[in-house]
Coordinates of all heavy atoms in Angstrom, one line a residue:
M1 N 41.4 25.9 -25.7 CA 41.9 25.7 -24.3 C 41.5 24.5 -23.8 O 40.5 23.9 -24.0 CB 41.3 27.0 -23.4 CG 41.8 28.3 -23.8 SD 41.1 29.5 -22.7 CE 39.8 30.1 -23.7
S2 N 42.3 24.0 -22.9 CA 42.1 22.6 -22.3 C 41.1 22.6 -21.3 O 40.9 23.7 -20.6 CB 43.5 22.1 -21.7 OG 43.3 21.0 -21.0
G3 N 40.5 21.6 -20.9 CA 39.4 21.4 -20.0 C 39.9 20.8 -18.6 O 39.1 20.3 -17.9
N4 N 41.2 21.0 -18.3 CA 41.7 20.5 -17.0 C 41.6 21.5 -16.0 O 41.6 21.1 -14.7 CB 43.2 20.1 -17.1 CG 43.3 18.9 -18.1 OD1 43.3 19.0 -19.3 ND2 43.5 17.7 -17.5
N5 N 41.6 22.8 -16.2 CA 41.5 23.9 -15.3 C 40.1 24.4 -15.1 O 39.5 24.9 -16.1 CB 42.5 25.0 -15.6 CG 43.9 24.5 -15.5 OD1 44.3 23.8 -14.5 ND2 44.7 24.8 -16.5
R6 N 39.6 24.4 -13.9 CA 38.2 24.9 -13.6 C 38.1 26.4 -13.9 O 37.0 26.8 -14.3 CB 37.8 24.5 -12.2 CG 36.4 24.6 -11.9 CD 36.0 24.1 -10.5 NE 34.6 24.1 -10.3 CZ 33.9 25.1 -9.8 NH1 34.5 26.2 -9.6 NH2 32.6 24.9 -9.7
E7 N 39.1 27.1 -13.6 CA 39.0 28.5 -13.6 C 38.8 29.1 -15.0 O 38.2 30.2 -15.2 CB 40.3 29.2 -13.1 CG 41.6 28.9 -13.9 CD 42.8 29.5 -13.3 OE1 42.8 29.6 -12.0 OE2 43.8 29.7 -14.0
I8 N 39.1 28.3 -16.1 CA 38.7 28.9 -17.5 C 37.4 28.4 -18.0 O 36.9 28.9 -19.0 CB 39.8 28.4 -18.5 CG1 39.8 27.0 -18.7 CG2 41.2 29.0 -18.1 CD1 40.7 26.4 -19.8
I9 N 36.7 27.6 -17.2 CA 35.4 27.1 -17.6 C 34.3 27.9 -16.8 O 34.3 27.9 -15.5 CB 35.2 25.6 -17.4 CG1 36.2 24.8 -18.1 CG2 33.8 25.1 -17.7 CD1 36.4 23.5 -17.8
K10 N 33.5 28.6 -17.5 CA 32.4 29.5 -16.8 C 31.0 29.0 -17.3 O 30.9 28.5 -18.4 CB 32.6 31.0 -17.2 CG 34.0 31.5 -16.9 CD 34.3 31.7 -15.5 CE 35.7 32.2 -15.4 NZ 36.3 32.0 -14.1
I11 N 30.1 29.3 -16.4 CA 28.6 29.1 -16.8 C 28.4 30.0 -18.0 O 28.7 31.2 -18.0 CB 27.7 29.5 -15.6 CG1 28.0 28.8 -14.4 CG2 26.2 29.4 -16.1 CD1 27.8 27.3 -14.4
G12 N 27.8 29.4 -19.1 CA 27.5 30.2 -20.3 C 28.6 30.0 -21.3 O 28.4 30.4 -22.5
S13 N 29.7 29.4 -21.0 CA 30.8 29.1 -22.0 C 30.4 28.0 -23.0 O 29.8 27.1 -22.6 CB 32.1 28.7 -21.3 OG 32.6 29.8 -20.5
T14 N 30.8 28.2 -24.2 CA 30.6 27.1 -25.2 C 31.8 26.1 -25.1 O 32.9 26.6 -25.1 CB 30.5 27.7 -26.6 OG1 29.4 28.6 -26.6 CG2 30.3 26.6 -27.6
V15 N 31.5 24.9 -24.9 CA 32.6 23.9 -24.7 C 32.3 22.6 -25.6 O 31.2 22.4 -26.1 CB 32.7 23.4 -23.3 CG1 33.2 24.6 -22.4 CG2 31.4 22.8 -22.7
R16 N 33.3 21.8 -25.8 CA 33.2 20.5 -26.4 C 33.5 19.5 -25.4 O 34.5 19.6 -24.6 CB 34.2 20.4 -27.6 CG 33.9 21.3 -28.7 CD 34.7 21.0 -29.9 NE 34.3 21.9 -31.0 CZ 35.1 22.9 -31.6 NH1 36.4 23.0 -31.2 NH2 34.6 23.6 -32.5
V17 N 32.6 18.5 -25.2 CA 32.7 17.5 -24.1 C 32.7 16.1 -24.7 O 32.2 16.0 -25.8 CB 31.6 17.7 -23.1 CG1 31.6 19.0 -22.4 CG2 30.2 17.3 -23.6
I18 N 33.2 15.2 -23.9 CA 33.2 13.7 -24.3 C 32.3 13.1 -23.1 O 32.6 13.2 -22.0 CB 34.5 13.1 -24.3 CG1 35.4 13.8 -25.3 CG2 34.4 11.6 -24.5 CD1 36.8 13.2 -25.4
K19 N 31.2 12.5 -23.6 CA 30.3 11.8 -22.7 C 31.0 10.5 -22.3 O 31.8 10.0 -23.1 CB 28.9 11.5 -23.3 CG 28.2 12.7 -23.6 CD 26.7 12.4 -24.1 CE 26.7 11.6 -25.3 NZ 25.4 11.4 -25.8
K20 N 30.7 9.9 -21.1 CA 31.3 8.6 -20.7 C 31.0 7.6 -21.7 O 31.9 6.8 -22.0 CB 30.8 8.3 -19.3 CG 31.5 7.1 -18.8 CD 31.4 6.9 -17.3 CE 32.2 5.8 -16.8 NZ 33.5 6.1 -16.3
S21 N 29.8 7.6 -22.2 CA 29.5 6.5 -23.2 C 30.1 6.7 -24.5 O 30.3 5.7 -25.3 CB 28.0 6.5 -23.5 OG 27.5 7.7 -24.0
D22 N 30.8 7.8 -24.8 CA 31.5 8.1 -26.0 C 33.0 8.0 -25.9 O 33.7 8.4 -26.8 CB 31.1 9.4 -26.6 CG 29.6 9.4 -27.0 OD1 29.1 8.4 -27.5 OD2 29.0 10.6 -27.1
Q23 N 33.5 7.7 -24.7 CA 34.9 7.7 -24.5 C 35.7 6.8 -25.4 O 36.8 7.2 -25.9 CB 35.2 7.4 -23.0 CG 35.0 8.5 -22.1 CD 35.2 8.2 -20.6 OE1 35.4 7.1 -20.3 NE2 35.3 9.2 -19.8
K24 N 35.2 5.6 -25.7 CA 35.9 4.7 -26.6 C 35.9 5.2 -28.0 O 36.9 5.0 -28.7 CB 35.3 3.3 -26.5 CG 35.6 2.6 -25.2 CD 35.0 1.2 -25.1 CE 35.3 0.6 -23.8 NZ 34.9 -0.7 -23.6
T25 N 34.8 5.8 -28.5 CA 34.8 6.3 -29.8 C 35.4 7.6 -30.0 O 35.8 8.0 -31.2 CB 33.3 6.3 -30.3 OG1 32.6 7.3 -29.5 CG2 32.6 5.0 -30.2
G26 N 35.4 8.4 -29.0 CA 36.0 9.8 -29.1 C 35.0 10.8 -29.6 O 35.4 11.9 -30.0
K27 N 33.7 10.4 -29.7 CA 32.7 11.4 -30.2 C 32.6 12.6 -29.3 O 32.5 12.5 -28.1 CB 31.3 10.6 -30.4 CG 30.3 11.6 -30.9 CD 29.0 10.9 -30.9 CE 27.8 11.9 -31.3 NZ 26.5 11.4 -30.9
I28 N 32.6 13.7 -29.9 CA 32.6 15.0 -29.2 C 31.2 15.7 -29.3 O 30.6 15.6 -30.4 CB 33.6 16.0 -29.8 CG1 35.0 15.4 -29.8 CG2 33.6 17.3 -29.0 CD1 35.8 15.6 -28.6
S29 N 30.7 16.2 -28.2 CA 29.4 17.0 -28.2 C 29.7 18.4 -27.9 O 30.6 18.6 -27.1 CB 28.4 16.4 -27.2 OG 28.2 15.0 -27.5
E30 N 29.0 19.3 -28.4 CA 29.3 20.7 -28.2 C 28.0 21.4 -27.6 O 26.9 21.1 -28.0 CB 29.7 21.5 -29.4 CG 30.1 22.9 -29.2 CD 30.7 23.5 -30.4 OE1 31.6 22.9 -31.1 OE2 30.3 24.7 -30.7
G31 N 28.2 22.3 -26.6 CA 27.1 23.0 -26.1 C 27.5 24.1 -25.0 O 28.7 24.3 -24.9
V32 N 26.5 24.6 -24.4 CA 26.8 25.7 -23.4 C 26.7 25.2 -22.0 O 25.8 24.5 -21.7 CB 25.8 26.9 -23.7 CG1 25.9 28.0 -22.6 CG2 25.8 27.3 -25.1
V33 N 27.7 25.6 -21.2 CA 27.7 25.1 -19.8 C 26.6 25.6 -19.0 O 26.4 26.8 -18.9 CB 29.1 25.4 -19.2 CG1 29.1 25.0 -17.7 CG2 30.2 24.9 -19.9
R34 N 25.8 24.7 -18.4 CA 24.7 25.1 -17.4 C 25.2 25.0 -16.0 O 24.9 25.8 -15.1 CB 23.5 24.2 -17.6 CG 22.4 24.5 -16.6 CD 21.2 23.7 -16.9 NE 21.4 22.3 -16.6 CZ 20.6 21.3 -16.9 NH1 19.6 21.4 -17.7 NH2 20.9 20.1 -16.5
E35 N 26.1 23.9 -15.7 CA 26.6 23.7 -14.3 C 27.9 23.0 -14.4 O 28.2 22.2 -15.2 CB 25.5 22.8 -13.6 CG 25.8 22.6 -12.2 CD 24.7 21.7 -11.5 OE1 23.7 21.5 -12.1 OE2 25.0 21.2 -10.3
I36 N 28.7 23.4 -13.4 CA 30.1 22.8 -13.4 C 30.0 21.8 -12.2 O 29.7 22.2 -11.0 CB 31.2 23.8 -13.1 CG1 31.2 24.9 -14.3 CG2 32.5 23.1 -12.9 CD1 32.1 26.0 -14.0
L37 N 30.3 20.5 -12.4 CA 30.1 19.5 -11.4 C 31.4 19.2 -10.6 O 31.4 19.0 -9.4 CB 29.7 18.2 -12.1 CG 28.3 18.2 -12.8 CD1 28.1 16.9 -13.4 CD2 27.2 18.6 -11.8
T38 N 32.6 19.3 -11.3 CA 33.9 19.2 -10.6 C 34.2 20.4 -9.6 O 34.1 21.5 -10.0 CB 35.0 19.0 -11.6 OG1 34.7 17.9 -12.5 CG2 36.3 18.7 -10.9
K39 N 34.5 20.1 -8.4 CA 34.7 21.1 -7.4 C 36.2 21.5 -7.3 O 36.4 22.7 -6.9 CB 34.2 20.6 -6.0 CG 32.8 20.3 -5.9 CD 31.9 21.4 -6.2 CE 30.4 21.0 -6.1 NZ 29.6 21.9 -6.9
S40 N 37.1 20.6 -7.7 CA 38.5 20.9 -7.5 C 38.9 21.9 -8.6 O 38.3 22.0 -9.7 CB 39.4 19.7 -7.6 OG 39.2 19.0 -8.8
K41 N 40.0 22.7 -8.5 CA 40.5 23.7 -9.4 C 41.1 23.0 -10.6 O 41.2 23.6 -11.7 CB 41.5 24.5 -8.7 CG 40.9 25.5 -7.7 CD 42.0 26.4 -7.1 CE 41.4 27.3 -6.1 NZ 42.3 28.2 -5.5
F42 N 41.7 21.8 -10.4 CA 42.3 21.1 -11.5 C 41.9 19.6 -11.4 O 41.8 19.1 -10.3 CB 43.9 21.2 -11.4 CG 44.6 20.4 -12.4 CD1 44.8 20.9 -13.7 CD2 45.0 19.1 -12.2 CE1 45.5 20.2 -14.6 CE2 45.7 18.3 -13.1 CZ 45.9 18.9 -14.4
H43 N 41.7 19.0 -12.6 CA 41.4 17.5 -12.6 C 42.1 16.9 -13.8 O 42.0 17.4 -14.9 CB 39.8 17.3 -12.7 CG 39.4 15.9 -12.4 ND1 39.7 14.8 -13.2 CD2 38.9 15.4 -11.2 CE1 39.2 13.7 -12.6 NE2 38.8 14.0 -11.4
P44 N 42.9 15.8 -13.5 CA 43.7 15.3 -14.6 C 42.9 14.6 -15.7 O 43.3 14.5 -16.8 CB 44.5 14.2 -13.9 CG 43.8 13.9 -12.6 CD 43.1 15.2 -12.2
H45 N 41.7 14.3 -15.4 CA 40.8 13.6 -16.4 C 39.8 14.6 -17.0 O 38.8 14.2 -17.6 CB 40.0 12.4 -15.8 CG 40.9 11.4 -15.2 ND1 41.7 10.6 -16.0 CD2 41.2 11.0 -14.0 CE1 42.4 9.8 -15.3 NE2 42.1 10.0 -14.1
R46 N 40.0 15.9 -16.7 CA 39.2 17.0 -17.2 C 38.0 17.3 -16.3 O 37.5 16.5 -15.5 CB 38.7 16.8 -18.6 CG 39.9 16.4 -19.6 CD 39.6 16.6 -21.0 NE 40.7 16.2 -21.8 CZ 41.6 17.1 -22.3 NH1 41.6 18.3 -21.9 NH2 42.6 16.6 -23.0
I47 N 37.5 18.5 -16.4 CA 36.4 19.0 -15.5 C 35.0 18.5 -16.1 O 34.8 18.5 -17.3 CB 36.4 20.6 -15.6 CG1 37.8 21.1 -15.1 CG2 35.2 21.1 -14.7 CD1 38.2 20.8 -13.7
K48 N 34.2 18.0 -15.2 CA 32.9 17.5 -15.6 C 31.8 18.6 -15.5 O 31.8 19.3 -14.5 CB 32.5 16.3 -14.7 CG 31.3 15.6 -15.2 CD 30.8 14.5 -14.4 CE 31.6 13.3 -14.7 NZ 31.1 12.0 -14.0
V49 N 31.0 18.7 -16.5 CA 30.0 19.8 -16.6 C 28.6 19.1 -17.1 O 28.6 18.1 -17.6 CB 30.4 20.9 -17.5 CG1 31.7 21.6 -17.1 CG2 30.6 20.4 -19.0
I50 N 27.6 19.9 -16.9 CA 26.3 19.6 -17.5 C 26.0 20.7 -18.5 O 26.1 21.9 -18.1 CB 25.2 19.5 -16.5 CG1 25.4 18.5 -15.5 CG2 23.8 19.4 -17.1 CD1 24.4 18.3 -14.4
L51 N 25.7 20.4 -19.8 CA 25.4 21.4 -20.7 C 23.9 21.8 -20.6 O 23.1 21.1 -20.0 CB 25.7 20.8 -22.1 CG 27.1 20.4 -22.3 CD1 27.3 19.9 -23.8 CD2 28.1 21.5 -22.0
E52 N 23.5 22.9 -21.3 CA 22.1 23.3 -21.2 C 21.2 22.4 -21.8 O 20.0 22.3 -21.5 CB 22.0 24.7 -22.0 CG 22.6 25.8 -21.2 CD 22.4 27.2 -21.8 OE1 21.9 27.3 -23.0 OE2 22.6 28.2 -21.1
D53 N 21.6 21.5 -22.7 CA 20.6 20.5 -23.3 C 20.6 19.1 -22.5 O 20.1 18.2 -22.9 CB 21.0 20.2 -24.8 CG 22.5 19.7 -25.0 OD1 23.1 19.5 -23.9 OD2 22.8 19.4 -26.1
G54 N 21.3 19.1 -21.3 CA 21.3 18.0 -20.4 C 22.4 17.0 -20.5 O 22.5 16.1 -19.7
I55 N 23.3 17.2 -21.5 CA 24.4 16.3 -21.7 C 25.5 16.5 -20.6 O 25.8 17.7 -20.2 CB 25.1 16.6 -23.0 CG1 24.1 16.1 -24.2 CG2 26.4 15.8 -23.2 CD1 24.7 16.5 -25.6
T56 N 25.9 15.4 -19.9 CA 26.9 15.5 -18.9 C 28.2 14.8 -19.5 O 28.2 13.8 -20.1 CB 26.5 14.7 -17.7 OG1 25.3 15.2 -17.2 CG2 27.6 14.8 -16.6
G57 N 29.3 15.6 -19.4 CA 30.5 15.1 -19.9 C 31.7 15.8 -19.4 O 31.6 16.8 -18.6
R58 N 32.9 15.4 -19.8 CA 34.2 16.0 -19.4 C 34.6 17.0 -20.4 O 34.6 16.6 -21.7 CB 35.2 15.1 -19.0 CG 34.8 14.2 -17.8 CD 36.0 13.5 -17.2 NE 35.6 12.8 -16.0 CZ 35.6 13.2 -14.8 NH1 36.0 14.5 -14.6 NH2 35.2 12.5 -13.8
V59 N 35.1 18.2 -20.1 CA 35.4 19.2 -21.1 C 36.7 18.8 -21.8 O 37.8 18.7 -21.2 CB 35.6 20.6 -20.4 CG1 36.0 21.6 -21.4 CG2 34.2 21.0 -19.8
K60 N 36.6 18.7 -23.1 CA 37.7 18.4 -24.0 C 38.4 19.7 -24.4 O 39.6 19.8 -24.5 CB 37.3 17.6 -25.2 CG 38.3 17.3 -26.3 CD 39.1 16.2 -25.9 CE 40.1 16.0 -27.0 NZ 41.2 15.1 -26.6
E61 N 37.5 20.7 -24.6 CA 38.0 22.0 -25.2 C 37.0 23.1 -24.9 O 35.8 22.9 -25.0 CB 38.2 21.9 -26.7 CG 38.7 23.1 -27.4 CD 38.8 22.9 -28.9 OE1 38.4 21.9 -29.4 OE2 39.2 23.9 -29.5
V62 N 37.5 24.3 -24.5 CA 36.7 25.4 -24.3 C 36.8 26.3 -25.6 O 37.8 26.6 -26.1 CB 37.2 26.3 -23.1 CG1 36.3 27.6 -23.0 CG2 37.2 25.5 -21.9
V63 N 35.5 26.4 -26.2 CA 35.4 27.0 -27.5 C 35.3 28.5 -27.4 O 36.0 29.4 -28.0 CB 34.3 26.5 -28.4 CG1 34.1 27.2 -29.7 CG2 34.3 25.0 -28.5
N64 N 34.4 29.0 -26.4 CA 34.1 30.4 -26.3 C 33.9 30.6 -24.8 O 32.9 30.1 -24.3 CB 33.0 30.8 -27.2 CG 32.6 32.3 -27.0 OD1 33.4 33.1 -26.6 ND2 31.4 32.6 -27.5
V65 N 34.6 31.5 -24.2 CA 34.4 31.8 -22.7 C 33.5 33.0 -22.7 O 33.7 34.0 -23.3 CB 35.8 32.2 -22.0 CG1 35.5 32.5 -20.6 CG2 36.8 31.0 -22.1
S66 N 32.4 32.7 -22.0 CA 31.4 33.8 -21.8 C 31.1 34.0 -20.3 O 30.9 33.0 -19.6 CB 30.1 33.4 -22.5 OG 29.1 34.3 -22.2
I67 N 31.0 35.2 -19.9 CA 30.7 35.4 -18.5 C 29.3 35.8 -18.5 O 28.9 36.9 -18.9 CB 31.6 36.5 -17.9 CG1 33.1 36.1 -18.0 CG2 31.2 36.9 -16.4 CD1 34.1 37.2 -17.6
K68 N 28.5 34.9 -17.9 CA 27.1 35.1 -17.8 C 26.7 35.5 -16.4 O 27.0 34.6 -15.5 CB 26.4 33.8 -18.2 CG 24.9 33.9 -18.4 CD 24.3 32.5 -18.8 CE 23.1 32.7 -19.7 NZ 22.6 31.4 -20.1
K69 N 26.2 36.6 -16.2 CA 25.9 37.1 -14.8 C 24.7 36.4 -14.3 O 23.7 36.4 -15.0 CB 25.8 38.6 -14.8 CG 25.6 39.1 -13.4 CD 25.5 40.7 -13.4 CE 25.3 41.2 -12.0 NZ 25.1 42.6 -12.0
D70 N 24.8 35.8 -13.1 CA 23.6 35.1 -12.5 C 22.8 36.2 -11.7 O 23.2 36.7 -10.6 CB 24.0 34.0 -11.6 CG 22.9 33.3 -11.0 OD1 21.7 33.5 -11.4 OD2 23.1 32.4 -10.1
T71 N 21.7 36.6 -12.2 CA 20.8 37.6 -11.6 C 19.6 36.9 -10.9 O 18.8 37.7 -10.3 CB 20.2 38.6 -12.7 OG1 19.5 37.9 -13.6 CG2 21.3 39.4 -13.3
S72 N 19.6 35.7 -10.8 CA 18.5 35.0 -10.2 C 18.5 35.2 -8.6 O 17.4 35.2 -8.0 CB 18.5 33.5 -10.4 OG 19.7 32.9 -9.9
K73 N 19.6 35.6 -8.0 CA 19.6 35.8 -6.6 C 19.6 37.2 -6.2 O 19.6 37.6 -5.0 CB 20.9 35.1 -6.0 CG 20.8 33.6 -6.2 CD 22.0 32.9 -5.6 CE 22.0 31.4 -5.9 NZ 23.2 30.7 -5.6
E74 N 19.6 38.1 -7.2 CA 19.5 39.5 -6.9 C 18.1 39.9 -6.6 O 17.2 39.5 -7.1 CB 20.0 40.3 -8.1 CG 21.6 40.2 -8.4 CD 22.0 41.0 -9.5 OE1 21.1 41.8 -10.1 OE2 23.1 40.9 -9.9
K75 N 18.0 40.9 -5.7 CA 16.7 41.4 -5.3 C 16.3 42.5 -6.2 O 17.1 43.3 -6.7 CB 16.7 42.0 -3.8 CG 17.0 40.9 -2.8 CD 16.9 41.6 -1.5 CE 17.2 40.5 -0.3 NZ 17.2 41.1 1.0
L76 N 15.1 42.4 -6.7 CA 14.5 43.5 -7.6 C 14.0 44.6 -6.8 O 13.2 44.3 -5.8 CB 13.4 42.9 -8.5 CG 14.0 41.8 -9.4 CD1 12.8 41.2 -10.2 CD2 15.0 42.3 -10.5
L77 N 14.3 45.8 -7.1 CA 13.7 46.9 -6.3 C 12.5 47.6 -7.0 O 12.4 47.5 -8.1 CB 14.9 48.0 -6.2 CG 16.1 47.6 -5.4 CD1 17.2 48.7 -5.4 CD2 15.8 47.2 -4.0

């Protein structure tokens, strides 16, 4: 799946990204999405994310969509 549409990229999804420093070489890095930086629903140059290992890049491809529930804001009873 392409990385232009924000709606298919979820926190916890496995993606392949291109870092800015690797744009000329085309080197791809793979990891799990920690945070989505692009706010718009669509971006012609792809959606920018931060991976769990700290790499920031634009999503080239979504490998595995995972819905990770954020429980950090839920109250424990």
Side-chain angles (χ1 to χ4, degrees):
M1 288 184 265
S2 173
N4 294 79
N5 293 314
R6 191 175 192 273
E7 65 186 26
I8 63 168
I9 301 167
K10 308 289 182 200
I11 305 293
S13 296
T14 302
V15 296
R16 292 187 178 120
V17 301
I18 298 178
K19 298 188 296 186
K20 184 157 184 100
S21 61
D22 292 334
Q23 285 178 343
K24 289 184 180 181
T25 64
K27 180 183 172 200
I28 306 269
S29 301
E30 187 172 312
V32 177
V33 176
R34 178 175 72 193
E35 185 178 348
I36 301 171
L37 299 176
T38 303
K39 300 299 179 199
S40 62
K41 291 182 181 182
F42 177 85
H43 196 283
H45 303 293
R46 308 195 183 269
I47 303 298
K48 188 181 276 189
V49 298
I50 299 176
L51 303 180
E52 287 185 347
D53 59 2
I55 292 174
T56 300
R58 294 199 180 267
V59 177
K60 175 78 174 167
E61 180 183 3
V62 178
V63 177
N64 181 16
V65 177
S66 172
I67 300 174
K68 189 179 213 181
K69 186 176 179 186
D70 183 8
T71 58
S72 62
K73 296 180 182 172
E74 292 182 4
K75 293 181 181 178
L76 298 174
L77 298 176

